[in-house]
Amino acid sequence: MKDLNKFIFVLSFFALFSCKKDAQSNLDSSEIREHYFNLEKIGWKSRVYTQKVEGIGFIATEVPIQYYLLKDFGTENFKRVDSLYEANKRERVLEFVFQQEEEKDLLSKDFTGMEYTDAVKYMSFGLSKDFYVVTSKNDTISCSGVTYERSYKIAPYQKVLLFFSGIDPNEKIQLVYTDFLFRKGILKFKFQDTYTPIIL
């Protein structure tokens, strides 16, 4: 009987401890959701910088890594999102859009001076060398990759995702683009603020 009482006492202790832990994790989960809600409310893509040169708009947008992680993995497992963010927090993803003000196809020979298929190849494979980032510590970081989102002449713009590695998440950055495709010179996009880190 004495052993049974000890067993019940230990079982009760674990039950109380696990209930307390569940309540704590629910609280943490609601706080995390609130952080994401606030960031979404101000706009995941709120840092947009546009320059126009001779009828072509060059639009740079910095999007936090958390946006892509939540888009891919959802909001069901914040620990997984947190561990992926920690592993990738030194990465930066920038969306870069080219758009002609009259919505003409920018990859035509009239704008690029090259055949359409060559312009598509350049967007897919040659564009990464045209971009680099300068940090607030004056470090220069080359573009590590580009993903060209082909629109097949449906959308009135051309969009690429630019990837940069090894940047402190608290660093302010400036994107520098040397435009060889449309021959518009050097364009600079200074991202003034960093996102407040989200505690997961």
Side-chain angles (χ1 to χ4, degrees):
M1 190 71 168
K2 196 173 185 182
D3 288 338
L4 182 62
N5 287 339
K6 281 183 184 178
F7 178 73
I8 292 173
F9 175 75
V10 170
L11 192 60
S12 300
F13 175 76
F14 282 122
L16 286 172
F17 180 74
S18 66
C19 288
K20 185 177 179 183
K21 188 176 179 182
D22 286 346
Q24 181 64 37
S25 68
N26 285 341
L27 176 65
D28 293 343
S29 180
S30 67
E31 287 176 3
I32 293 167
R33 287 179 195 279
E34 185 178 345
H35 282 296
Y36 280 117
F37 174 76
N38 289 335
L39 187 53
E40 186 176 11
K41 198 164 90 175
I42 64 167
W44 284 109
K45 301 179 182 184
S46 60
R47 290 191 289 175
V48 178
Y49 297 90
T50 303
Q51 292 189 40
K52 280 195 175 182
V53 182
E54 297 173 10
I56 299 176
F58 300 89
I59 305 154
T61 307
E62 186 174 5
V63 184
I65 294 291
Q66 294 97 325
Y67 171 82
Y68 295 105
L69 293 174
L70 288 172
K71 190 174 174 184
D72 287 345
F73 299 105
T75 57
E76 299 306 313
N77 189 344
F78 284 112
K79 286 186 179 179
R80 182 177 187 191
V81 171
D82 182 40
S83 65
L84 288 169
Y85 171 71
E86 284 300 317
N88 294 287
K89 67 183 179 182
R90 298 183 65 82
E91 307 294 319
R92 295 283 178 103
V93 179
L94 303 176
E95 287 184 0
F96 200 84
V97 175
F98 307 85
Q99 187 167 10
Q100 205 276 333
E101 64 185 1
E102 295 174 8
E103 299 187 356
K104 293 180 180 175
D105 189 351
L106 278 172
L107 297 185
S108 68
K109 197 169 187 176
D110 296 340
F111 294 103
T112 64
M114 61 178 78
E115 294 300 321
Y116 194 87
T117 54
D118 293 332
V120 170
K121 285 179 188 174
Y122 192 86
M123 290 287 283
S124 300
F125 306 110
L127 205 59
S128 63
K129 65 180 176 37
D130 299 347
F131 289 94
Y132 65 91
V133 158
V134 179
T135 68
S136 55
K137 294 177 184 171
N138 291 323
D139 292 330
T140 301
I141 298 168
S142 299
C143 183
S144 58
V146 171
T147 299
Y148 171 42
E149 295 184 5
R150 289 206 55 188
S151 62
Y152 298 96
K153 300 184 182 184
I154 295 171
Y157 57 82
Q158 303 296 326
K159 181 162 85 168
V160 293
L161 295 178
L162 309 170
F163 303 95
F164 298 90
S165 297
I167 303 173
D168 185 313
N170 298 313
E171 279 283 333
K172 295 178 183 178
I173 61 170
Q174 180 178 36
L175 177 67
V176 180
Y177 171 53
T178 306
D179 182 23
F180 293 111
L181 187 60
F182 306 109
R183 302 169 307 280
K184 303 300 180 197
I186 297 174
L187 303 170
K188 297 178 180 180
F189 303 84
K190 191 165 190 174
F191 296 93
Q192 299 291 338
D193 301 314
T194 57
Y195 282 102
T196 304
I198 297 170
I199 301 165
L200 294 176

